Amino acid sequence: MSINFRTNKSVSGRRRLLEKELTIDLPNIGSSAIDDTIARTRNCENMVGWTQIPLGVAGPLTITSMNDERLTMNYYLPLATTEGALVASVNRGCKAITQSGGTTVDSERVGATRAPVFDVKNVTGKKKLEEYVRRNMKALQKCAQETSGHCSLRGITLHNVGPYEYLRLSFDTQDAMGMNMATIAATSIYRYIEAQTGFRCISVSGNVCADKKPSAINTILGRGFRVWADVVIPKKVLMATLKTTAQNLYEVWMSKCMTGSVVAGSMGHNAQTANIVAALFIATGQDPAHVTGASCGTTIARVEDNEDLYLSILLSDLMVGTVGGGTGLATQKEALSILGISGGNNGKNSKLFAEIVGAVVLAGELSLLSSLAEGSLAKAHVALSRGKLQSTKF
Ligand code: NAP
């Protein structure tokens, strides 16, 4: 027998149907103090309850943004995770960075991308459609603008293989991550092009977007935000807080993040960027599938002449927002308020959020590389994620 969840319109009613069908009880999935109106009407179909994830806080982390009048601020970071040792690790990285005067961050808004694919038949069709697009940018920008008060078409890159023409459209979506907005605007644009040229759009998404897949095009052209963060950790902070030296950490970085990643054919030349991004994304209502893009980050380590450590990260595919999607849910909204950036602010909140993500990723990279250099990774996980705080054999 199969359940038709649509016959019951309430969350608890659907849950009862499921409990009855499977002869199980789901008291915890059913227990939440949060009003489910927004979640069940905007975020989740067939909703039967809540999955609750522990939320920890790391910090403070001192961040100096090269934007926003070069403001220096201390942040506490909300991290939702079930990986014991993750929050402690980020916390240690934050401590070392803050003891070193903080991290400097910069960002560039690249925009949310959608790439409709058209059937142009052959090279003649390719030429015709590409010329049309280049000559009619203003009309296409108007199509996008008509779909939203917060969405504008920034640019288009053209990609052709045989009969398939991909228009990689890039949108400024202000404080929203923007994938619904981009998809709506792209639909309006492709329909206009179809009407004007006669070329048929096969799909509003032709994967050159590239949404929720690790991809070279996003790493090279950027997607969402491109974010840089760096820090110099003095020798004495390395020894006192991170229990290592710049040279030892550098050797781990070179053998792991660079050489090991090349041997593995990995698109991420980093220690654990996805780990930190996932915890921040879940806490703050981002789309967790966009961790794929953030996993392709690059970490660079260098030993300074005085044996201090220079460490930097670059994330080229960071899709974040402070309005829209899951950011409107009660606990996610509160997590954003810990960062002081809940809601819309003419695009400034999403940009600052992207920079905070970059800074926390740097803290995670610093801490894990130090732990590996010190040889304490297994010990920390046994102590913190298995609850065995007494000494171990490691
Ligand atoms: P959204 O919630 O669909 O749209 C954002 C809304 O916020 C718009 O209605 C916009 O208004 C409004 N808004 C108010 N103030 C704003 C401000 N300062 N900046 C920007 N917008 C503001 O959110 P979205 O970011 O476009 O889409 C996120 C959702 O898309 C997530 O749930 C994600 O999982 C999902 N997603 C969808 C696709 C897809 O293909 N559709 C792909 C991946 C992910 P106006 O537009 O009315 O002006």
Side-chain angles (χ1 to χ4, degrees):
M1 202 181 105
S2 67
I3 310 170
N4 181 358
F5 287 106
R6 285 167 183 254
T7 59
N8 203 311
K9 299 242 181 284
S10 78
V11 172
S12 57
R14 277 191 292 266
R15 188 172 59 252
R16 276 195 296 274
L17 280 179
L18 189 65
E19 287 174 327
K20 197 172 160 202
E21 169 75 7
L22 302 178
T23 56
I24 54 171
D25 290 326
L26 304 171
N28 292 307
I29 284 175
S31 135
S32 168
I34 306 168
D35 179 15
D36 59 30
T37 314
I38 297 178
R40 73 181 149 76
T41 54
R42 294 186 183 199
N43 296 97
C44 183
E45 300 76 39
N46 288 353
M47 186 172 168
V48 294
W50 300 83
T51 297
Q52 299 184 41
I53 297 171
L55 181 75
V57 173
L61 175 59
T62 304
I63 303 176
T64 300
S65 168
M66 296 306 285
N67 303 295
D68 208 10
E69 292 150 4
R70 306 201 171 180
L71 200 65
T72 300
M73 292 271 290
N74 282 331
Y75 292 92
Y76 289 95
L77 302 321
L79 299 164
T81 185
T82 54
E83 182 184 352
L86 179 70
V87 180
S89 169
V90 174
N91 200 53
R92 187 172 77 136
C94 291
K95 184 177 172 190
I97 290 173
T98 299
Q99 286 173 334
S100 308
T103 167
T104 307
V105 295
D106 193 15
S107 64
E108 174 196 349
R109 182 188 295 277
V110 185
T113 54
R114 242 315 158 230
V117 51
F118 288 81
D119 182 358
V120 290
K121 309 278 186 234
N122 48 36
V123 173
T124 310
K126 159 195 161 2
K127 189 78 180 161
K128 201 174 155 195
L129 182 57
E130 290 188 353
E131 277 180 358
Y132 171 82
V133 169
R134 289 194 183 102
R135 284 196 192 126
N136 290 277
M137 272 303 285
K138 283 213 169 109
L140 303 183
Q141 279 164 338
K142 190 162 172 276
C143 288
Q145 237 151 14
E146 283 168 0
T147 63
S148 162
H150 297 86
C151 177
S152 53
L153 177 64
R154 290 170 65 95
I156 305 179
T157 58
L158 302 167
H159 309 265
N160 177 272
V161 187
Y164 304 127
E165 181 75 24
Y166 303 87
L167 274 53
R168 185 171 149 112
L169 313 169
S170 174
F171 300 94
D172 181 339
T173 54
Q174 296 204 4
D175 288 307
M177 175 275 281
M179 275 320 289
N180 279 342
M181 293 157 85
T183 304
I184 293 164
T187 302
S188 167
I189 288 171
Y190 90 65
R191 286 191 179 143
Y192 181 80
I193 294 174
E194 281 183 331
Q196 295 292 311
T197 66
F199 288 116
R200 180 176 64 92
C201 177
I202 299 167
S203 165
V204 69
S205 169
N207 264 10
V208 182
C209 314
D211 195 37
K212 301 181 175 175
K213 292 122 197 133
S215 68
I217 198 166
N218 290 352
T219 304
I220 295 163
L221 299 182
R223 185 166 195 250
F225 286 92
R226 216 194 292 263
V227 180
W228 298 261
D230 71 5
V231 66
V232 173
I233 307 288
K235 190 179 168 185
K236 63 176 192 298
V237 175
L238 283 167
M239 289 307 294
T241 303
L242 299 167
K243 319 286 180 219
T244 190
T245 63
Q247 190 56 49
N248 286 351
L249 188 146
Y250 176 87
E251 190 183 17
V252 171
W253 167 78
M254 175 54 85
S255 61
K256 174 186 169 69
C257 298
M258 292 293 114
T259 314
S261 296
V262 169
V263 171
S266 173
M267 291 196 63
H269 294 76
N270 61 68
Q272 60 160 348
T273 57
N275 226 6
I276 279 68
V277 173
L280 265 172
F281 272 25
I282 293 167
T284 58
Q286 310 302 307
D287 188 328
H290 285 142
V291 171
T292 45
S295 74
C296 300
T298 303
T299 299
I300 298 289
R302 223 181 202 189
V303 182
E304 304 278 75
D305 288 344
N306 60 0
E307 296 178 51
D308 288 355
L309 172 81
Y310 172 82
L311 193 73
S312 81
I313 62 95
L314 163 63
L315 301 175
S316 294
D317 180 2
L318 189 60
M319 295 285 284
V320 292
T322 57
V323 299
T327 66
L329 293 170
T331 52
Q332 287 79 343
K333 212 175 185 169
E334 283 178 16
L336 281 168
S337 76
I338 294 173
L339 301 169
I341 48 171
S342 178
N345 185 17
N346 296 319
K348 283 188 183 173
N349 276 357
S350 60
K351 192 169 170 66
L352 181 55
F353 183 43
E355 294 181 353
I356 292 170
V357 175
V360 190
V361 163
L362 183 73
E365 294 295 275
L366 177 63
S367 187
L368 179 53
L369 289 170
S370 302
S371 179
L372 291 166
E374 188 202 355
S376 63
L377 184 66
K379 188 176 168 185
H381 274 85
V382 169
L384 294 169
S385 70
R386 293 192 176 172
K388 294 179 183 168
L389 285 169
Q390 69 272 33
S391 64
T392 68
K393 285 182 185 171
F394 294 104

PDB file of all heavy atoms in Angstrom, residues 43 114 147-151 173-183 211-212 287 290 323-326 344-347, ligand 1:
ATOM      1  N   ASN A  43       9.159  25.847   1.937  1.00  0.00           N
ATOM      2  CA  ASN A  43      10.458  25.181   1.925  1.00  0.00           C
ATOM      3  C   ASN A  43      10.424  23.676   1.754  1.00  0.00           C
ATOM      4  O   ASN A  43      11.437  23.081   1.369  1.00  0.00           O
ATOM      5  CB  ASN A  43      11.222  25.485   3.226  1.00  0.00           C
ATOM      6  CG  ASN A  43      11.548  26.948   3.364  1.00  0.00           C
ATOM      7  OD1 ASN A  43      10.831  27.686   4.022  1.00  0.00           O
ATOM      8  ND2 ASN A  43      12.602  27.393   2.712  1.00  0.00           N
ATOM      9  N   ARG A 114      22.625  30.860 -14.656  1.00  0.00           N
ATOM     10  CA  ARG A 114      21.739  29.861 -15.265  1.00  0.00           C
ATOM     11  C   ARG A 114      22.110  29.811 -16.746  1.00  0.00           C
ATOM     12  O   ARG A 114      22.321  30.855 -17.362  1.00  0.00           O
ATOM     13  CB  ARG A 114      20.292  30.318 -15.155  1.00  0.00           C
ATOM     14  CG  ARG A 114      19.312  29.495 -14.381  1.00  0.00           C
ATOM     15  CD  ARG A 114      19.308  28.038 -14.589  1.00  0.00           C
ATOM     16  NE  ARG A 114      18.718  27.315 -13.476  1.00  0.00           N
ATOM     17  CZ  ARG A 114      19.292  26.268 -12.862  1.00  0.00           C
ATOM     18  NH1 ARG A 114      20.466  25.830 -13.236  1.00  0.00           N
ATOM     19  NH2 ARG A 114      18.679  25.644 -11.889  1.00  0.00           N
ATOM     20  N   THR A 147      11.162  40.647 -14.215  1.00  0.00           N
ATOM     21  CA  THR A 147      10.747  39.504 -13.371  1.00  0.00           C
ATOM     22  C   THR A 147      10.926  39.774 -11.882  1.00  0.00           C
ATOM     23  O   THR A 147      10.398  39.030 -11.053  1.00  0.00           O
ATOM     24  CB  THR A 147      11.557  38.231 -13.721  1.00  0.00           C
ATOM     25  OG1 THR A 147      12.950  38.476 -13.426  1.00  0.00           O
ATOM     26  CG2 THR A 147      11.394  37.843 -15.175  1.00  0.00           C
ATOM     27  N   SER A 148      11.711  40.800 -11.513  1.00  0.00           N
ATOM     28  CA  SER A 148      12.030  41.006 -10.091  1.00  0.00           C
ATOM     29  C   SER A 148      12.538  42.423  -9.854  1.00  0.00           C
ATOM     30  O   SER A 148      13.187  43.017 -10.718  1.00  0.00           O
ATOM     31  CB  SER A 148      13.126  40.005  -9.673  1.00  0.00           C
ATOM     32  OG  SER A 148      13.753  40.415  -8.483  1.00  0.00           O
ATOM     33  N   GLY A 149      12.269  42.918  -8.650  1.00  0.00           N
ATOM     34  CA  GLY A 149      12.807  44.233  -8.276  1.00  0.00           C
ATOM     35  C   GLY A 149      14.234  44.136  -7.774  1.00  0.00           C
ATOM     36  O   GLY A 149      14.860  45.141  -7.448  1.00  0.00           O
ATOM     37  N   HIS A 150      14.755  42.890  -7.651  1.00  0.00           N
ATOM     38  CA  HIS A 150      16.091  42.715  -7.079  1.00  0.00           C
ATOM     39  C   HIS A 150      16.997  41.873  -7.971  1.00  0.00           C
ATOM     40  O   HIS A 150      17.961  41.269  -7.484  1.00  0.00           O
ATOM     41  CB  HIS A 150      15.982  42.037  -5.713  1.00  0.00           C
ATOM     42  CG  HIS A 150      15.240  42.839  -4.697  1.00  0.00           C
ATOM     43  ND1 HIS A 150      13.873  42.800  -4.560  1.00  0.00           N
ATOM     44  CD2 HIS A 150      15.684  43.719  -3.772  1.00  0.00           C
ATOM     45  CE1 HIS A 150      13.498  43.607  -3.584  1.00  0.00           C
ATOM     46  NE2 HIS A 150      14.579  44.182  -3.087  1.00  0.00           N
ATOM     47  N   CYS A 151      16.672  41.776  -9.264  1.00  0.00           N
ATOM     48  CA  CYS A 151      17.466  40.895 -10.135  1.00  0.00           C
ATOM     49  C   CYS A 151      17.844  41.631 -11.421  1.00  0.00           C
ATOM     50  O   CYS A 151      16.977  42.178 -12.102  1.00  0.00           O
ATOM     51  CB  CYS A 151      16.649  39.643 -10.475  1.00  0.00           C
ATOM     52  SG  CYS A 151      17.462  38.510 -11.615  1.00  0.00           S
ATOM     53  N   THR A 173      21.685  39.281  -7.839  1.00  0.00           N
ATOM     54  CA  THR A 173      20.421  39.048  -7.126  1.00  0.00           C
ATOM     55  C   THR A 173      20.474  39.660  -5.720  1.00  0.00           C
ATOM     56  O   THR A 173      19.814  39.178  -4.794  1.00  0.00           O
ATOM     57  CB  THR A 173      20.099  37.540  -7.057  1.00  0.00           C
ATOM     58  OG1 THR A 173      21.229  36.864  -6.484  1.00  0.00           O
ATOM     59  CG2 THR A 173      19.818  36.967  -8.434  1.00  0.00           C
ATOM     60  N   GLN A 174      21.290  40.695  -5.578  1.00  0.00           N
ATOM     61  CA  GLN A 174      21.407  41.451  -4.316  1.00  0.00           C
ATOM     62  C   GLN A 174      21.634  40.536  -3.102  1.00  0.00           C
ATOM     63  O   GLN A 174      22.617  39.833  -3.075  1.00  0.00           O
ATOM     64  CB  GLN A 174      20.197  42.359  -4.157  1.00  0.00           C
ATOM     65  CG  GLN A 174      20.175  43.409  -5.262  1.00  0.00           C
ATOM     66  CD  GLN A 174      19.401  44.642  -4.896  1.00  0.00           C
ATOM     67  OE1 GLN A 174      18.897  44.816  -3.797  1.00  0.00           O
ATOM     68  NE2 GLN A 174      19.295  45.554  -5.838  1.00  0.00           N
ATOM     69  N   ASP A 175      20.732  40.558  -2.125  1.00  0.00           N
ATOM     70  CA  ASP A 175      20.986  39.790  -0.897  1.00  0.00           C
ATOM     71  C   ASP A 175      20.490  38.351  -0.967  1.00  0.00           C
ATOM     72  O   ASP A 175      20.685  37.593  -0.009  1.00  0.00           O
ATOM     73  CB  ASP A 175      20.347  40.490   0.310  1.00  0.00           C
ATOM     74  CG  ASP A 175      21.110  41.753   0.664  1.00  0.00           C
ATOM     75  OD1 ASP A 175      22.336  41.667   0.853  1.00  0.00           O
ATOM     76  OD2 ASP A 175      20.493  42.826   0.702  1.00  0.00           O
ATOM     77  N   ALA A 176      19.846  37.961  -2.073  1.00  0.00           N
ATOM     78  CA  ALA A 176      19.384  36.574  -2.205  1.00  0.00           C
ATOM     79  C   ALA A 176      20.462  35.747  -2.898  1.00  0.00           C
ATOM     80  O   ALA A 176      21.172  36.258  -3.770  1.00  0.00           O
ATOM     81  CB  ALA A 176      18.092  36.517  -3.004  1.00  0.00           C
ATOM     82  N   MET A 177      20.578  34.467  -2.503  1.00  0.00           N
ATOM     83  CA  MET A 177      21.481  33.556  -3.227  1.00  0.00           C
ATOM     84  C   MET A 177      21.094  33.546  -4.702  1.00  0.00           C
ATOM     85  O   MET A 177      21.949  33.547  -5.583  1.00  0.00           O
ATOM     86  CB  MET A 177      21.390  32.165  -2.590  1.00  0.00           C
ATOM     87  CG  MET A 177      22.162  31.071  -3.272  1.00  0.00           C
ATOM     88  SD  MET A 177      21.223  30.340  -4.640  1.00  0.00           S
ATOM     89  CE  MET A 177      20.114  29.259  -3.790  1.00  0.00           C
ATOM     90  N   GLY A 178      19.779  33.532  -4.985  1.00  0.00           N
ATOM     91  CA  GLY A 178      19.305  33.901  -6.301  1.00  0.00           C
ATOM     92  C   GLY A 178      18.955  32.829  -7.315  1.00  0.00           C
ATOM     93  O   GLY A 178      18.639  33.164  -8.457  1.00  0.00           O
ATOM     94  N   MET A 179      18.992  31.537  -6.919  1.00  0.00           N
ATOM     95  CA  MET A 179      18.752  30.538  -7.973  1.00  0.00           C
ATOM     96  C   MET A 179      17.303  30.483  -8.446  1.00  0.00           C
ATOM     97  O   MET A 179      17.057  30.194  -9.626  1.00  0.00           O
ATOM     98  CB  MET A 179      19.244  29.149  -7.545  1.00  0.00           C
ATOM     99  CG  MET A 179      20.716  28.936  -7.805  1.00  0.00           C
ATOM    100  SD  MET A 179      21.312  29.613  -9.375  1.00  0.00           S
ATOM    101  CE  MET A 179      20.586  28.504 -10.566  1.00  0.00           C
ATOM    102  N   ASN A 180      16.344  30.768  -7.568  1.00  0.00           N
ATOM    103  CA  ASN A 180      14.970  30.866  -8.076  1.00  0.00           C
ATOM    104  C   ASN A 180      14.845  32.096  -8.977  1.00  0.00           C
ATOM    105  O   ASN A 180      14.254  32.032 -10.067  1.00  0.00           O
ATOM    106  CB  ASN A 180      13.962  30.977  -6.925  1.00  0.00           C
ATOM    107  CG  ASN A 180      13.628  29.626  -6.318  1.00  0.00           C
ATOM    108  OD1 ASN A 180      13.863  28.596  -6.942  1.00  0.00           O
ATOM    109  ND2 ASN A 180      13.090  29.642  -5.112  1.00  0.00           N
ATOM    110  N   MET A 181      15.396  33.211  -8.514  1.00  0.00           N
ATOM    111  CA  MET A 181      15.306  34.452  -9.289  1.00  0.00           C
ATOM    112  C   MET A 181      15.981  34.287 -10.658  1.00  0.00           C
ATOM    113  O   MET A 181      15.448  34.716 -11.689  1.00  0.00           O
ATOM    114  CB  MET A 181      15.947  35.613  -8.512  1.00  0.00           C
ATOM    115  CG  MET A 181      15.178  35.975  -7.250  1.00  0.00           C
ATOM    116  SD  MET A 181      16.204  36.806  -6.030  1.00  0.00           S
ATOM    117  CE  MET A 181      16.083  38.482  -6.593  1.00  0.00           C
ATOM    118  N   ALA A 182      17.167  33.665 -10.654  1.00  0.00           N
ATOM    119  CA  ALA A 182      17.903  33.464 -11.916  1.00  0.00           C
ATOM    120  C   ALA A 182      17.127  32.558 -12.867  1.00  0.00           C
ATOM    121  O   ALA A 182      17.085  32.791 -14.086  1.00  0.00           O
ATOM    122  CB  ALA A 182      19.283  32.868 -11.624  1.00  0.00           C
ATOM    123  N   THR A 183      16.495  31.537 -12.311  1.00  0.00           N
ATOM    124  CA  THR A 183      15.755  30.591 -13.155  1.00  0.00           C
ATOM    125  C   THR A 183      14.518  31.265 -13.756  1.00  0.00           C
ATOM    126  O   THR A 183      14.188  31.055 -14.937  1.00  0.00           O
ATOM    127  CB  THR A 183      15.363  29.338 -12.335  1.00  0.00           C
ATOM    128  OG1 THR A 183      16.560  28.784 -11.790  1.00  0.00           O
ATOM    129  CG2 THR A 183      14.667  28.301 -13.188  1.00  0.00           C
ATOM    130  N   ASP A 211      25.142  24.332 -11.774  1.00  0.00           N
ATOM    131  CA  ASP A 211      24.531  24.368 -10.447  1.00  0.00           C
ATOM    132  C   ASP A 211      24.709  23.042  -9.718  1.00  0.00           C
ATOM    133  O   ASP A 211      24.340  21.986 -10.236  1.00  0.00           O
ATOM    134  CB  ASP A 211      23.027  24.677 -10.614  1.00  0.00           C
ATOM    135  CG  ASP A 211      22.383  25.090  -9.305  1.00  0.00           C
ATOM    136  OD1 ASP A 211      23.036  25.795  -8.510  1.00  0.00           O
ATOM    137  OD2 ASP A 211      21.215  24.713  -9.074  1.00  0.00           O
ATOM    138  N   LYS A 212      25.284  23.125  -8.526  1.00  0.00           N
ATOM    139  CA  LYS A 212      25.373  21.979  -7.617  1.00  0.00           C
ATOM    140  C   LYS A 212      26.237  20.837  -8.158  1.00  0.00           C
ATOM    141  O   LYS A 212      25.971  19.671  -7.882  1.00  0.00           O
ATOM    142  CB  LYS A 212      23.964  21.480  -7.254  1.00  0.00           C
ATOM    143  CG  LYS A 212      23.109  22.566  -6.590  1.00  0.00           C
ATOM    144  CD  LYS A 212      21.742  22.109  -6.205  1.00  0.00           C
ATOM    145  CE  LYS A 212      21.004  23.212  -5.452  1.00  0.00           C
ATOM    146  NZ  LYS A 212      19.621  22.898  -5.131  1.00  0.00           N
ATOM    147  N   ASP A 287      21.416  26.833   0.793  1.00  0.00           N
ATOM    148  CA  ASP A 287      21.142  25.560   0.116  1.00  0.00           C
ATOM    149  C   ASP A 287      22.370  24.663   0.293  1.00  0.00           C
ATOM    150  O   ASP A 287      23.437  24.950  -0.268  1.00  0.00           O
ATOM    151  CB  ASP A 287      20.878  25.824  -1.374  1.00  0.00           C
ATOM    152  CG  ASP A 287      20.387  24.573  -2.088  1.00  0.00           C
ATOM    153  OD1 ASP A 287      20.789  23.460  -1.690  1.00  0.00           O
ATOM    154  OD2 ASP A 287      19.595  24.716  -3.048  1.00  0.00           O
ATOM    155  N   HIS A 290      24.940  23.557  -2.414  1.00  0.00           N
ATOM    156  CA  HIS A 290      25.973  24.453  -2.949  1.00  0.00           C
ATOM    157  C   HIS A 290      27.321  24.306  -2.250  1.00  0.00           C
ATOM    158  O   HIS A 290      28.292  24.983  -2.618  1.00  0.00           O
ATOM    159  CB  HIS A 290      25.490  25.912  -2.894  1.00  0.00           C
ATOM    160  CG  HIS A 290      24.481  26.209  -3.965  1.00  0.00           C
ATOM    161  ND1 HIS A 290      23.398  27.017  -3.769  1.00  0.00           N
ATOM    162  CD2 HIS A 290      24.404  25.790  -5.251  1.00  0.00           C
ATOM    163  CE1 HIS A 290      22.683  27.071  -4.878  1.00  0.00           C
ATOM    164  NE2 HIS A 290      23.272  26.335  -5.793  1.00  0.00           N
ATOM    165  N   VAL A 323      18.549  36.652   2.379  1.00  0.00           N
ATOM    166  CA  VAL A 323      17.081  36.600   2.237  1.00  0.00           C
ATOM    167  C   VAL A 323      16.758  35.461   1.268  1.00  0.00           C
ATOM    168  O   VAL A 323      17.598  35.041   0.483  1.00  0.00           O
ATOM    169  CB  VAL A 323      16.461  37.916   1.687  1.00  0.00           C
ATOM    170  CG1 VAL A 323      16.742  39.082   2.598  1.00  0.00           C
ATOM    171  CG2 VAL A 323      16.948  38.217   0.295  1.00  0.00           C
ATOM    172  N   GLY A 324      15.506  34.987   1.337  1.00  0.00           N
ATOM    173  CA  GLY A 324      15.067  33.954   0.405  1.00  0.00           C
ATOM    174  C   GLY A 324      15.472  32.550   0.838  1.00  0.00           C
ATOM    175  O   GLY A 324      16.245  32.375   1.789  1.00  0.00           O
ATOM    176  N   GLY A 325      14.930  31.544   0.166  1.00  0.00           N
ATOM    177  CA  GLY A 325      15.254  30.150   0.454  1.00  0.00           C
ATOM    178  C   GLY A 325      15.016  29.806   1.911  1.00  0.00           C
ATOM    179  O   GLY A 325      13.988  30.160   2.490  1.00  0.00           O
ATOM    180  N   GLY A 326      16.013  29.154   2.537  1.00  0.00           N
ATOM    181  CA  GLY A 326      15.871  28.729   3.937  1.00  0.00           C
ATOM    182  C   GLY A 326      16.214  29.803   4.945  1.00  0.00           C
ATOM    183  O   GLY A 326      16.111  29.570   6.152  1.00  0.00           O
ATOM    184  N   GLY A 344      17.576  41.798   4.144  1.00  0.00           N
ATOM    185  CA  GLY A 344      18.135  42.482   2.968  1.00  0.00           C
ATOM    186  C   GLY A 344      18.768  43.821   3.312  1.00  0.00           C
ATOM    187  O   GLY A 344      18.350  44.493   4.242  1.00  0.00           O
ATOM    188  N   ASN A 345      19.802  44.199   2.543  1.00  0.00           N
ATOM    189  CA  ASN A 345      20.479  45.484   2.765  1.00  0.00           C
ATOM    190  C   ASN A 345      21.188  45.912   1.478  1.00  0.00           C
ATOM    191  O   ASN A 345      22.399  46.097   1.461  1.00  0.00           O
ATOM    192  CB  ASN A 345      21.463  45.348   3.938  1.00  0.00           C
ATOM    193  CG  ASN A 345      22.108  46.670   4.295  1.00  0.00           C
ATOM    194  OD1 ASN A 345      21.626  47.724   3.905  1.00  0.00           O
ATOM    195  ND2 ASN A 345      23.208  46.606   5.026  1.00  0.00           N
ATOM    196  N   ASN A 346      20.427  46.023   0.401  1.00  0.00           N
ATOM    197  CA  ASN A 346      20.971  46.450  -0.905  1.00  0.00           C
ATOM    198  C   ASN A 346      22.178  45.637  -1.364  1.00  0.00           C
ATOM    199  O   ASN A 346      23.106  46.175  -1.969  1.00  0.00           O
ATOM    200  CB  ASN A 346      21.373  47.932  -0.863  1.00  0.00           C
ATOM    201  CG  ASN A 346      20.169  48.818  -0.639  1.00  0.00           C
ATOM    202  OD1 ASN A 346      19.108  48.567  -1.219  1.00  0.00           O
ATOM    203  ND2 ASN A 346      20.308  49.818   0.219  1.00  0.00           N
ATOM    204  N   GLY A 347      22.187  44.364  -1.064  1.00  0.00           N
ATOM    205  CA  GLY A 347      23.288  43.496  -1.505  1.00  0.00           C
ATOM    206  C   GLY A 347      24.466  43.467  -0.545  1.00  0.00           C
ATOM    207  O   GLY A 347      25.370  42.638  -0.688  1.00  0.00           O
TER     208      GLY A 347
HETATM  209  P1  NAP B   1      13.626  33.295  -3.355  1.00  0.00           P
HETATM  210  O1  NAP B   1      13.092  33.201  -1.984  1.00  0.00           O
HETATM  211  O2  NAP B   1      13.008  32.446  -4.382  1.00  0.00           O
HETATM  212  O3  NAP B   1      13.544  34.811  -3.898  1.00  0.00           O
HETATM  213  C1  NAP B   1      14.052  35.882  -3.129  1.00  0.00           C
HETATM  214  C2  NAP B   1      12.922  36.851  -2.856  1.00  0.00           C
HETATM  215  O4  NAP B   1      13.370  37.832  -1.935  1.00  0.00           O
HETATM  216  C3  NAP B   1      12.467  37.561  -4.107  1.00  0.00           C
HETATM  217  O5  NAP B   1      11.067  37.455  -4.125  1.00  0.00           O
HETATM  218  C4  NAP B   1      12.887  38.991  -3.880  1.00  0.00           C
HETATM  219  O6  NAP B   1      11.965  39.932  -4.323  1.00  0.00           O
HETATM  220  C5  NAP B   1      12.917  39.087  -2.366  1.00  0.00           C
HETATM  221  N1  NAP B   1      13.818  40.129  -1.837  1.00  0.00           N
HETATM  222  C6  NAP B   1      13.466  41.038  -0.904  1.00  0.00           C
HETATM  223  N2  NAP B   1      14.515  41.795  -0.566  1.00  0.00           N
HETATM  224  C7  NAP B   1      15.569  41.373  -1.302  1.00  0.00           C
HETATM  225  C8  NAP B   1      16.933  41.764  -1.383  1.00  0.00           C
HETATM  226  N3  NAP B   1      17.453  42.750  -0.629  1.00  0.00           N
HETATM  227  N4  NAP B   1      17.738  41.106  -2.228  1.00  0.00           N
HETATM  228  C9  NAP B   1      17.253  40.089  -2.996  1.00  0.00           C
HETATM  229  N5  NAP B   1      15.958  39.690  -2.981  1.00  0.00           N
HETATM  230  C10 NAP B   1      15.119  40.309  -2.115  1.00  0.00           C
HETATM  231  O7  NAP B   1      15.200  33.054  -3.221  1.00  0.00           O
HETATM  232  P2  NAP B   1      16.313  32.747  -4.297  1.00  0.00           P
HETATM  233  O8  NAP B   1      17.591  33.143  -3.631  1.00  0.00           O
HETATM  234  O9  NAP B   1      16.010  33.265  -5.648  1.00  0.00           O
HETATM  235  O10 NAP B   1      16.271  31.176  -4.403  1.00  0.00           O
HETATM  236  C11 NAP B   1      16.691  30.410  -3.311  1.00  0.00           C
HETATM  237  C12 NAP B   1      16.000  29.081  -3.352  1.00  0.00           C
HETATM  238  O11 NAP B   1      16.244  28.497  -4.617  1.00  0.00           O
HETATM  239  C13 NAP B   1      16.537  28.088  -2.325  1.00  0.00           C
HETATM  240  O12 NAP B   1      15.448  27.532  -1.642  1.00  0.00           O
HETATM  241  C14 NAP B   1      17.206  27.047  -3.176  1.00  0.00           C
HETATM  242  O13 NAP B   1      17.166  25.792  -2.570  1.00  0.00           O
HETATM  243  C15 NAP B   1      16.437  27.125  -4.442  1.00  0.00           C
HETATM  244  N6  NAP B   1      17.087  26.657  -5.675  1.00  0.00           N
HETATM  245  C16 NAP B   1      16.329  26.786  -6.801  1.00  0.00           C
HETATM  246  C17 NAP B   1      16.856  26.396  -7.994  1.00  0.00           C
HETATM  247  C18 NAP B   1      16.033  26.553  -9.232  1.00  0.00           C
HETATM  248  O14 NAP B   1      16.429  26.055 -10.265  1.00  0.00           O
HETATM  249  N7  NAP B   1      14.911  27.227  -9.184  1.00  0.00           N
HETATM  250  C19 NAP B   1      18.166  25.882  -8.064  1.00  0.00           C
HETATM  251  C20 NAP B   1      18.915  25.796  -6.911  1.00  0.00           C
HETATM  252  C21 NAP B   1      18.360  26.184  -5.708  1.00  0.00           C
HETATM  253  P3  NAP B   1      11.555  40.262  -5.835  1.00  0.00           P
HETATM  254  O15 NAP B   1      12.210  39.263  -6.739  1.00  0.00           O
HETATM  255  O16 NAP B   1      10.082  40.125  -5.820  1.00  0.00           O
HETATM  256  O17 NAP B   1      12.017  41.634  -6.098  1.00  0.00           O
END
